[in-house]
Amino acid sequence: MSKKLTSRAEDYSKWYNELVVKADLAENSAVRGCMVIKPYGYAIWEKMQAELDRMFKETGHKNAYFPLFVPKSLFEAEEKNAEGFAKECAVVTHYRLQNDPDKPGKLRVDPEAKLEEELVVRPTSEAVIWNTYKGWIQSYRDLPILINQWANVVRWEMRTRLFLRTAEFLWQEGHTAHATREEAVRETELMNNVYASFAENFMAIPVIKGVKTESERFAGAVDTYCIEALMQDGKALQAGTSHFLGQNFAKAFDVKFANKEGNLDYVWATSWGVSTRLMGALIMTHSDDNGLVLPPNLAPDQVVIVPIYKSMEQLDEISELAQVIISELKEKGVSAKLDDRDTLRPGAKFAQHELQGVPVRIAIGPKDLENRTVELARRDTLTKEIVPLDTLTGKIEGLMEEIQVSLYKRALEFRDDHITEVDSFEAFKEVLETKGGFISAHWDGTAETEAKIKELTKATIRCIPVDAKEESGNCVLTGNPSSKRVLFAKAY
RNA sequence: CGGGGUGUAGCGUAGCCCGGUUAUCGCGCCACGUUUGGGACGUGGAGGCCGCAGGUUCGAAUCCUGCCACCCCGACCA
C-alpha cells in the first residue's frame, strides 16, 4: 500500500476515493454498487444518527419501521413518485431458488416460484407508509402523525461512489401527516431547519437553506426544501431534503380525515431525509492532503494518546499516567484512548491517527515524564505544543469546542468566498470554469432556461435560497425579468 | 445504459504484442533480534486456480469468445 494519499490538487476525486478506503471508513463490496461501511466509518455514522435521532425526538417525532418491499400496485399509486423512481428500482420477482438440474452444485431461480405481484425494493417509503397511514387516520384527532424510520433503501445507480452515490444506502426518512396545509408546510420548514442546524452545529458544515426548482424537486412533492453544502473542489452537494407533499399521497392512497366541522378532507403530508451521503459531505468539507479531519462532535475517539518508550517500565509509567488523563477527560465528556499497540512505532501511529482524523493527539515520552508535560497536536491545524500536565485536561476540554468552531469558520469562509454574483452569461461561464462554487444569478423562472443553462454549462440550480432578497434584475441567459437571484453550481 | 481503460499474492506492479523452465519486483504479512520524540532495520519465512467461464493449441497469464468487477468520460441521480 502506498503511504501517501494522492493530493487534492493532483486529483480531487482520486483523493476522495483513497481517503475513504485508507481511513478505513468503507470499501466496495462483492455486490455491484453496494458498499461495506467499516467499523470506523460506521462509528461516525452512529454519531450522526444519535444526534439526529435526539433532534427528531425533541421535535416530537417517534421512530417506527416499515417494510423493505413495496408491492408494485402500491408503488405505482402516486404516479409522479412512481415515474420518478421507476428507472432505478430493483424488483423481486421470485421467492425461491432450487438446485439447477443442468449444473450440479449450482442454484437457479425456481421458475415455478414466480410472485403473483412483483415487489419493488423501496427507493423511498412513501407508498407503503401512506398505504399504512390510511388505516391509522379517520379524524383530526388522529393527527398529526410524526414518524421517522431509520432504514436502508435501494436506488439502482449506474455510476456509484462510496458514500456519495451507492445502490444501497442508509438513511432516515420522516413521514408526517397533518390536518392543515399550514401545519404541513411548517413541519417541512422545521425539519429543513433541523437539518441545517445539525449540519452547521454538529458537523461544522455550513449550508444554504433553499427551495428546489420544479425540475430538481422530489417526485411527488409540491415543494422540496433542501440544505446545500459546498465541497472543497467547488462542487455543490445536496446534504438533506425536506418535502411538502401537499395532498398528493393522501389522494393517491385515499387518506381522508373528518375535521372539526365534520367534513372529510385529504390529509397533508411531508417527508424528509438525510443519508450516509453526509459522510461524503463531511469528508469533502474538512479533510486535507494528510487525510480525514473530523470535528470533535463526530470523532469516534476525540483524543488519542501515543506513548513513546524504550523500556517496559517506561511504558507502564506512561500507561498509568494516560489512564489518569483518560478518566479526567471522560469526566469532562471527552473520549480518549491510549494507543498502546506494540506493533507500531510512534511515527506510524501519528500517521495513522492523522489519516483517520482524530482531532487531538497527545504524545507522552520519557522527557515528558521528567518534565510533567505532554506534546499536544491538533489535527485541524497540524500544530504541536508542549503542555504542562496540570493544565492539560482543561485545555483539551476547551480545544474540543475551539476545533469544532474553527472547522466551521474555515468552511464558512471558503463557502462564502465561493458564492459569486454574476450578471452576464459570459461571467457565469467564466466563474464556473475558473473558480467554481455557487453562482448567484438572476433566472427567469422557466424550466427551459434552467435546462438550457445546464446543457451549456453543466451547472444546475441548486436552490432558491430561502433568504434570497427581492431584487429586480434580468435573467442571466434570456434577459427576461427576474425578482431574485438563485444559486447555480455543478453538483455531486 | 453508451464510449474508453484496467483486472497477475492483502496492496502496487513486471511479463502479454511475438504462447514454451520453478511467474518478476516493491510494500505489507509471519518469526526472531535490535529499535521506539513523525510512516524503523537486519536475518529467516509464508503467501498465486495470472478476475470468472468456455474455446484454440502438444502446451495459455500471454491468442479468441462470453461474463463479472473496478476506474475515467457522458446520460441519470440523495
Side-chain angles (χ1 to χ4, degrees), chain A residues 291-364:
Chain A
L292 194 61
V293 175
L294 291 172
N297 284 343
L298 288 171
D301 296 302
Q302 296 173 314
V303 177
V304 66
I305 303 174
V306 177
I308 295 154
Y309 57 94
K310 288 195 166 56
S311 68
M312 278 331 225
E313 289 69 34
Q314 274 173 351
L315 176 60
D316 287 343
E317 204 176 332
I318 292 166
S319 298
E320 205 175 309
L321 174 59
Q323 290 312 330
V324 173
I325 295 170
I326 288 169
S327 51
E328 276 180 33
L329 284 173
K330 196 175 174 186
E331 273 173 38
K332 295 182 189 292
V334 178
S335 66
K337 76 165 184 195
L338 170 67
D339 184 354
D340 59 358
R341 289 174 295 175
D342 60 1
T343 48
L344 289 179
R345 296 162 84 257
K349 292 180 184 178
F350 293 175
Q352 191 190 343
H353 295 129
E354 220 159 79
L355 182 60
Q356 299 204 98
V358 181
V360 168
R361 180 189 70 225
I362 296 172
I364 309 177

Side-chain angles (χ1 to χ4, degrees), chain A residues 60-125:
Chain A
H61 303 85
K62 292 194 159 81
N63 286 330
Y65 188 79
F66 296 86
L68 171 67
F69 303 117
V70 189
K72 198 180 68 154
S73 59
L74 280 189
F75 186 72
E76 65 201 6
E78 209 296 320
E79 269 179 57
K80 285 219 174 87
N81 185 251
E83 198 188 306
F85 285 105
K87 297 183 300 295
E88 41 186 345
C89 287
V91 183
V92 180
T93 55
H94 292 74
Y95 59 87
R96 191 163 62 209
L97 295 173
Q98 63 179 187
N99 288 317
D100 190 332
D102 300 326
K103 295 176 189 158
K106 302 281 185 190
L107 293 172
R108 67 168 190 186
V109 174
D110 183 348
E112 302 296 303
K114 198 166 179 336
L115 288 168
E116 290 261 313
E117 182 180 0
E118 293 92 344
L119 297 173
V120 177
V121 180
R122 62 178 169 217
T124 181
S125 301

Side-chain angles (χ1 to χ4, degrees), chain A residues 49-340:
Chain A
Q49 276 188 303
E51 176 65 7
L52 283 166
D53 204 64
R54 192 191 64 71
M55 294 175 89
F56 297 157
K57 284 169 181 161
E58 202 166 67
T59 45
H61 303 85
K62 292 194 159 81
N63 286 330
Y65 188 79
F66 296 86
L68 171 67
F69 303 117
V70 189
K72 198 180 68 154
S73 59
L74 280 189
F75 186 72
E76 65 201 6
E78 209 296 320
E79 269 179 57
K80 285 219 174 87
N81 185 251
E83 198 188 306
F85 285 105
K87 297 183 300 295
E88 41 186 345
C89 287
V91 183
V92 180
T93 55
H94 292 74
Y95 59 87
R96 191 163 62 209
L97 295 173
Q98 63 179 187
N99 288 317
D100 190 332
D102 300 326
K103 295 176 189 158
K106 302 281 185 190
L107 293 172
R108 67 168 190 186
V109 174
D110 183 348
E112 302 296 303
K114 198 166 179 336
L115 288 168
E116 290 261 313
E117 182 180 0
E118 293 92 344
L119 297 173
V120 177
V121 180
R122 62 178 169 217
T124 181
S125 301
E126 277 79 2
V128 219
I129 287 180
W130 279 89
N131 176 256
T132 308
Y133 282 1
K134 178 182 167 61
W136 293 359
I137 300 168
Q138 280 89 43
S139 137
Y140 73 92
R141 297 172 192 222
D142 300 320
L143 297 172
I145 292 178
L146 303 173
I147 281 180
N148 173 64
Q149 85 163 341
W150 289 97
N152 59 338
V153 287
V154 170
R155 296 182 187 174
W156 213 260
E157 298 291 347
M158 298 307 171
R159 276 182 71 194
T160 60
R161 283 186 79 193
L162 294 171
F163 291 121
L164 294 173
R165 182 168 302 113
T166 47
E168 179 194 18
F169 58 89
L170 304 184
W171 77 347
Q172 58 68 218
E173 44 181 327
H175 294 275
T176 68
H178 306 267
T180 66
R181 179 191 181 96
E182 294 65 40
E183 189 183 303
V185 169
R186 258 202 319 275
E187 167 80 4
T188 312
E189 289 171 351
L190 170 70
M191 297 321 286
N192 201 53
N193 289 338
V194 165
Y195 287 154
S197 148
F198 170 76
E200 301 198 326
N201 301 326
F202 204 75
M203 296 184 70
I205 299 176
V207 294
I208 290 166
K209 293 188 274 192
V211 181
K212 288 291 188 186
T213 61
E214 185 178 355
S215 58
E216 297 277 330
R217 192 180 290 159
F218 177 72
V222 174
D223 265 318
T224 287
Y225 291 68
C226 62
I227 52 169
E228 291 284 328
L230 188 66
M231 304 297 99
Q232 296 163 342
D233 63 346
K235 287 169 79 176
L237 184 136
Q238 178 177 306
T241 50
S242 182
H243 315 292
F244 170 59
L245 302 173
Q247 295 174 311
N248 293 346
F249 283 87
K251 285 178 180 163
F253 291 91
D254 192 34
V255 188
K256 290 185 201 155
F257 73 105
N259 62 23
K260 284 180 184 169
E261 289 74 44
N263 302 318
L264 282 182
D265 194 9
Y266 287 110
V267 172
W268 298 87
T270 83
S271 68
W272 28 273
V274 295
S275 71
T276 36
R277 193 181 220 205
L278 286 174
M279 293 287 291
L282 171 70
I283 295 162
M284 291 192 289
T285 299
H286 301 306
S287 301
D288 63 22
D289 289 349
N290 296 309
L292 194 61
V293 175
L294 291 172
N297 284 343
L298 288 171
D301 296 302
Q302 296 173 314
V303 177
V304 66
I305 303 174
V306 177
I308 295 154
Y309 57 94
K310 288 195 166 56
S311 68
M312 278 331 225
E313 289 69 34
Q314 274 173 351
L315 176 60
D316 287 343
E317 204 176 332
I318 292 166
S319 298
E320 205 175 309
L321 174 59
Q323 290 312 330
V324 173
I325 295 170
I326 288 169
S327 51
E328 276 180 33
L329 284 173
K330 196 175 174 186
E331 273 173 38
K332 295 182 189 292
V334 178
S335 66
K337 76 165 184 195
L338 170 67
D339 184 354
D340 59 358

